[in-house]
Amino acid sequence: MEQTSPQSLSFNYDRVSGELVAAFTPIEGMQVPNLVILKQMLTDGGFTKLYIDDAALGDFAAKVAGAKEAVSQKIGERRDGEFLLEVSDDLMEAYLTLVPPQGGRARSVEVINEIRAQGITHGIMHEVLRGALSAGHCAKLLVAKGDEPVQGEHARFESLLDEKEDELSEIDEDAVVQYSDLGHLLLINIGDPLMRRIPPVPGTNGVNIKGQAVPALPIPDLGFNKDCVGTEVDKENPDLLIAAIAGQPQLITNGVKVNPIVEIEDVDLSTGNIDFSGTVKIKGDVKTGMRLHVSGDVFVNGTVEAAEIIAGGNITVKGGIIGHSETQPGAASIAAKIKAEGSVQALFAESAHIEAGDSIMLAGNARQCEMLAGNEILVGKTNPKLGQIIGGRAQATMMIKAVALGSPNAATTKIQVGLDPYLEEKLRAKEQEFQRKLDELDRVIKQIAHYKQNPEKARNGMGEEAELKRKTLAQEVKDLVAEQNEMKEDLVAAESARIVAVKAVYEGVEMRIAKQVWQVLSDFGGGTAQLQGGKISFGGK
């Protein structure tokens, strides 16, 4: 037992039970200890290494203050240290929490035993663990960490077309297609290299803290796109795609298409409407009322009147696109209709409906046009003094940029970004195709099951034919799932979309970003509109 002075107050520690008891006997003329004195006496007596119950100590001080007879109370005890070992659900990390002992013993041995009992053998951070056990305390300290798997690299596809662009200016003026004034057009010959495939790199498995393997994600071995029309794989190098025909190349996902090229003077009544699988260059104009549908690019050296041009690639018009706002008094207006899966470029456009899967680029003005682009619309690209979108509607996924939006006469002009006008429609079509293939696959599977129950009906190769069809449909379903997933990843976040006016925004302009709308009620200088906090913000250039 240990005792303090004065004799009226004592602290008694029982080494067997580990309890600390305070006792007080009132003696006339001696000071009655308060809480401050009690705490100081505990410190002086060396009892602070024990667990002191502050509530019990306060209660004892209150009893002492008015005591007429001896008072005693348990105010503390000896406590051993405690610990908690937490292992993450993925078995990749272990964390240790240590509560230091208070007059009792530490739990270092128990910690080591628990680590062994949990089966933790790999990635133990011995120096960190020893430091924590030596200090006697820590809070959720990382003491073991597994090795994360190293993920592999997917096959990569490198375009080899860039080096061909430097050759364009050297193409003979007498060639079937003249490229001297169409700098972005590429002409390739049979055997030219188009794309190189870099094979995938497999991943490296990791190890969790229990020494178990953590597999890296499998890497699919992707080949060239099956839609690489006009190309072939090099016979000496299976990772090299080369041209099988001469023509104009078009980059696609994991591959290249090669389109043949044709040249025409004008598209008018002498040629009739044209439906062509390839690329077309028109030296002159596309006249009113004519229709031109091609699978590749269209190049017009002159102007496009109130005609229809639909292209699977890009459309370039060196002159303007001029629909007729009116023909005769009382007659309906005739608009030019231009639609490209790629980009549309023109000097200017008036009374035209223009659609582009990628971008629309006009050097001059767009007046009373309806323009839809899967990526961006740029008006005033080469001449900053021109470039107004006046009236009509312009819609793009990522950006619309013009020198000015609207006009001083407050023409109603609608501008919208943040929603892809094409991707959702394409995604719906893919989903419908997926469902049709799935239904067909289900019918074939039922047919195969029927043949298994009735072998006599599977004669003459019908069973083998059904099984082959099942495998083909299963692969098509798998490919459609992959295509849908890729398209879903391409849905653009509205937060990154913007509308840019270099010099002015006039009254009468309506701006839409995703589902947010701003009606411009007065003229502004140049600036950029984009979403901030879910609302349209218009600020400096």
Side-chain angles (χ1 to χ4, degrees), residues 114-127:
E114 181 63 18
I115 289 175
R116 292 171 179 167
Q118 293 264 10
I120 300 173
T121 59
H122 181 79
I124 298 174
M125 305 165 73
H126 294 286
E127 289 298 325

Side-chain angles (χ1 to χ4, degrees), residues 61-380:
K63 291 178 180 178
V64 165
K68 302 298 184 182
E69 55 185 27
V71 177
S72 66
Q73 182 169 338
K74 176 186 173 183
I75 61 169
E77 63 184 2
R78 179 183 64 224
R79 287 188 174 180
D80 293 337
E82 297 180 3
F83 75 92
L84 174 64
L85 186 66
E86 300 176 85
V87 177
S88 61
D89 292 340
D90 60 3
L91 302 180
M92 293 300 289
E93 296 170 336
Y95 297 88
L96 175 65
T97 298
L98 278 176
V99 178
Q102 293 177 285
R105 64 184 184 85
R107 303 293 293 276
S108 300
V109 175
E110 287 87 342
V111 170
I112 300 301
N113 290 339
E114 181 63 18
I115 289 175
R116 292 171 179 167
Q118 293 264 10
I120 300 173
T121 59
H122 181 79
I124 298 174
M125 305 165 73
H126 294 286
E127 289 298 325
V128 173
L129 181 59
R130 277 195 293 269
L133 294 177
S134 177
H137 62 86
C138 62
K140 205 162 185 178
L141 178 68
L142 181 67
V143 294
K145 183 175 178 59
D147 300 328
E148 295 286 348
V150 178
Q151 302 304 338
E153 298 179 10
H154 290 270
R156 293 182 291 114
F157 297 84
E158 294 183 350
S159 170
L160 302 177
L161 299 177
D162 292 344
E163 59 194 54
K164 297 293 294 182
E165 293 194 18
D166 295 335
E167 303 173 15
L168 295 180
S169 59
E170 302 174 4
I171 294 180
D172 188 353
E173 293 287 337
D174 296 328
V176 173
V177 178
Q178 181 176 328
Y179 299 96
S180 58
D181 55 355
L182 298 170
H184 69 281
L185 184 64
L186 296 176
L187 178 65
I188 53 92
N189 297 311
I190 295 175
D192 282 350
L194 304 176
M195 179 169 284
R196 180 180 292 110
R197 174 182 177 271
I198 310 300
V201 178
T204 303
N205 291 343
V207 182
N208 65 24
I209 59 177
K210 292 192 175 185
Q212 301 164 335
V214 180
L217 294 176
I219 302 298
D221 190 9
L222 297 176
F224 290 111
N225 194 315
K226 62 182 181 181
D227 292 330
C228 293
V229 179
T231 69
E232 62 185 7
V233 175
D234 186 82
K235 294 178 180 179
E236 297 181 0
N237 183 357
D239 292 319
L240 181 65
L241 191 69
I242 62 176
I245 60 173
Q248 186 244 331
Q250 175 189 350
L251 283 174
I252 61 175
T253 303
N254 302 345
V256 179
K257 286 183 177 180
V258 178
N259 297 318
I261 301 171
V262 68
E263 189 174 45
I264 302 171
E265 290 295 329
D266 291 301
V267 178
D268 54 21
L269 293 177
S270 66
T271 63
N273 296 323
I274 296 174
D275 190 348
F276 180 71
S277 179
T279 293
V280 173
K281 180 185 176 187
I282 297 113
K283 291 183 176 181
D285 305 322
V286 180
K287 301 296 185 179
T288 298
M290 303 309 298
R291 186 177 71 247
L292 176 63
H293 291 186
V294 302
S295 63
D297 294 342
V298 173
F299 302 93
V300 182
N301 245 8
T303 60
V304 175
E305 299 178 1
E308 176 180 287
I309 301 177
I310 298 178
N314 305 316
I315 297 176
T316 301
V317 182
K318 293 194 68 177
I321 301 172
I322 311 170
H324 300 302
S325 58
E326 56 183 15
T327 52
Q328 296 177 355
S333 63
I334 304 175
K337 181 178 180 181
I338 309 296
K339 183 175 182 180
E341 293 293 329
S343 298
V344 174
Q345 297 184 59
L347 186 62
F348 63 89
E350 181 173 337
S351 299
H353 177 97
I354 304 175
E355 295 187 40
D358 186 14
S359 304
I360 297 173
M361 293 166 281
L362 303 178
N365 295 334
R367 186 182 299 273
Q368 295 300 333
C369 293
E370 184 173 74
M371 299 183 290
L372 293 89
N375 184 19
E376 61 183 12
I377 296 174
L378 305 175
V379 178

